[in-house]
Amino acid sequence: MAMKEYETGPEPVGVPDVSVVIGAFEGMPYLIKCLESVEAQTLGAERMEILAINDGSTDGTGAYLDDFAAKSKVPMRVVHQANSGGPASPRNRGLELARGRFVFFLDADDYLGEEALERMVDMADRNKTDVVLGKIEGLGRSAPKSMFGRTEQRTDIFSSRIMYTLSAEKLFRRELLEKYSMRFDEDLYTGEDQQFTLEAYVRGAGVSVEADYVCLYIIRRDDGKHITQSGGYDLRFDSARALMDLIAELFPEGEKRDHVMIRPFVITLLPHFDHRMLKLPEATRRDKIALAKPLMEKYWTPGAARRLKVPERLRMHLVAEGKLEELQEVIAFIRDKKEPEIVRKGRENTPYLAYPYFGDESVGVPDEMYKVTVAETVGGKRVVAAKPFRPAPQKPKPTFARRVVRKLRRMLREMRNPARA
């Protein structure tokens, strides 16, 4: 398909506040609600533009975009291009065309709350932040929640949970994106937004979180055509590698890198080694461990390990060691909801969770893998890491000179007060 571009709708007046970029592949019928939600924004049509990229759709998406653009009160450009295979290319094309102070990347299957863009632009302008997260609600699918506990005027990845939502459906200041020539990696067919969003979090002048209003509704498609519902598992390992490499580029070795690195370990890698793994062919299980091995060798550190709960850390350790049989035993233990014994050791009364192979010298898993380093719940009881043992401070013995001075003072008091002596 040859690339075609149309510009329709009212002529833009000045610089729009927001460029809404919509990459659309086989977007019908979800695209209808998506576009209507943009046009209904309280921000106002004159403060927006829509950049819609039809990525080789065959279901009528292209025709609907053209029809909507011809009638829309929002300035709108439509680009038709051959299918690229992923979201990165259409988003990049939209970003190239964007004229707004801010860019919002909206998936064709999702839609906005009416006040979303107005609220987010106001937050960014008021706080001079470069990224704004709007509260998300899932319809037929789960949505990230932990970072939306409260509205944050200004935060970062070390003061909040924002690194656990790296989707691109956020408000970005376009000046930031152009300053660092930020684009989506077109070699990735899933997870390409993780790199983009994390880099914006780190390089930007702060992040705001709107938690008091649902800004975005994300939809589970019944046809399974959403990219996160399709594609081979090797694509997920590619995205994990890309994100880990970026984290290493942004942070030198140490506490900050370890803190951020737990995100790809827990969110991207660990789900490949849960109860679902036990149903896979053995060849697939071994292939997953082989794909994870170079990432573990490069980025698995004691600092990252101690930030994980025991069942997470133990599985990652066994993956790093390539111990498939032992890994399967631990996964089965967790699947069957068995409770590990809480074992306390040493002067500090340090708690350890006795998952399979704890203390088994023939397997050789270090006790550190079983040590409670972050708070966990076992059998309904909260188990916390032990505080380091510190012996009570000893009072220093007085020196000879000090003892003489004390004795002289005592004798002097007795001479002055013979009755008390």
Side-chain angles (χ1 to χ4, degrees), residues 233 237 272-292 319 322 324-325 327-329 331:
Y233 61 81
F237 284 93
H272 291 281
F273 305 104
D274 62 14
H275 63 280
R276 292 167 292 186
M277 183 187 187
L278 302 179
K279 299 178 182 179
L280 299 175
E282 183 174 348
T284 303
R285 300 179 211 174
R286 294 194 179 279
D287 188 40
K288 286 192 172 190
I289 287 182
L291 288 168
V319 169
L324 177 59
E325 288 73 19
L327 173 64
Q328 292 172 161
E329 184 69 25
I331 292 173

Side-chain angles (χ1 to χ4, degrees), residues 319-383:
V319 169
E321 295 293 313
K323 294 184 175 181
L324 177 59
E325 288 73 19
E326 292 82 357
L327 173 64
Q328 292 172 161
E329 184 69 25
V330 171
I331 292 173
F333 185 95
I334 297 169
R335 178 201 61 194
D336 297 340
K337 297 181 180 179
K338 295 180 180 178
E339 294 177 3
E341 179 186 357
I342 302 171
V343 179
R344 297 187 179 273
K345 298 170 61 176
R347 298 179 69 182
E348 299 172 12
N349 208 25
T350 301
Y352 295 79
L353 302 185
Y355 280 88
Y357 307 108
F358 176 66
D360 188 337
E361 295 183 0
S362 65
V363 177
V365 179
D367 282 357
E368 285 294 308
M369 296 300 111
Y370 300 89
K371 183 177 179 180
V372 175
T373 54
V374 295
E376 304 196 34
T377 301
V378 178
K381 296 180 180 179
R382 184 174 170 83
V383 184

Side-chain angles (χ1 to χ4, degrees), residues 68-242:
F68 187 90
K71 303 170 186 175
S72 177
K73 59 185 179 181
V74 180
M76 181 169 176
R77 278 187 264 187
V78 179
V79 173
H80 300 273
Q81 66 179 33
N83 180 250
S84 65
S89 172
R91 285 179 183 155
N92 285 341
R93 180 60 181 144
L95 187 51
E96 289 170 7
L97 298 172
R99 293 172 289 199
R101 294 192 299 124
F102 297 94
V103 179
F104 191 95
F105 298 99
L106 180 61
D107 288 352
D109 5 67
D110 302 330
Y111 64 91
L112 298 168
E114 286 187 3
E115 300 174 20
L117 296 182
E118 184 177 18
R119 283 173 173 260
M120 289 191 283
V121 168
D122 180 63
M123 283 197 83
D125 284 341
R126 187 172 64 251
N127 298 296
K128 295 181 170 52
T129 46
D130 286 340
V131 185
V132 182
L133 284 65
K135 187 175 181 179
I136 304 171
E137 184 172 309
L139 300 177
R141 58 180 291 195
S142 60
K145 291 184 174 66
S146 64
M147 64 294 305
F148 295 115
R150 64 179 183 181
T151 290
E152 299 272 7
Q153 300 300 323
R154 176 181 289 273
T155 190
D156 57 45
I157 59 173
F158 301 106
S159 307
S160 68
R161 301 270 301 174
I162 60 172
M163 72 175 180
Y164 290 100
T165 175
L166 295 181
S167 70
E169 291 183 283
K170 296 167 176 61
L171 190 77
F172 298 91
R173 193 178 296 273
R174 192 165 66 87
E175 183 181 9
L176 168 72
L177 307 183
E178 297 307 323
K179 179 179 179 180
Y180 292 101
S181 301
M182 291 176 55
R183 295 295 185 270
F184 295 91
D185 186 347
E186 296 186 22
D187 290 331
L188 294 176
Y189 294 100
T190 186
E192 77 299 325
D193 48 355
Q194 297 177 20
Q195 289 175 285
F196 184 93
T197 304
L198 181 66
E199 185 173 2
Y201 286 169
V202 175
R203 297 197 187 280
V207 178
S208 296
V209 179
E210 169 56 83
D212 298 324
Y213 179 83
V214 178
C215 293
L216 177 69
Y217 295 85
I218 58 175
I219 311 301
R220 179 176 179 82
R221 294 183 61 142
D222 296 328
D223 56 13
K225 290 183 179 178
H226 195 284
I227 189 66
T228 59
Q229 297 172 241
S230 58
Y233 61 81
D234 54 325
L235 299 181
R236 273 72 175 175
F237 284 93
D238 287 343
S239 69
R241 171 194 48 75

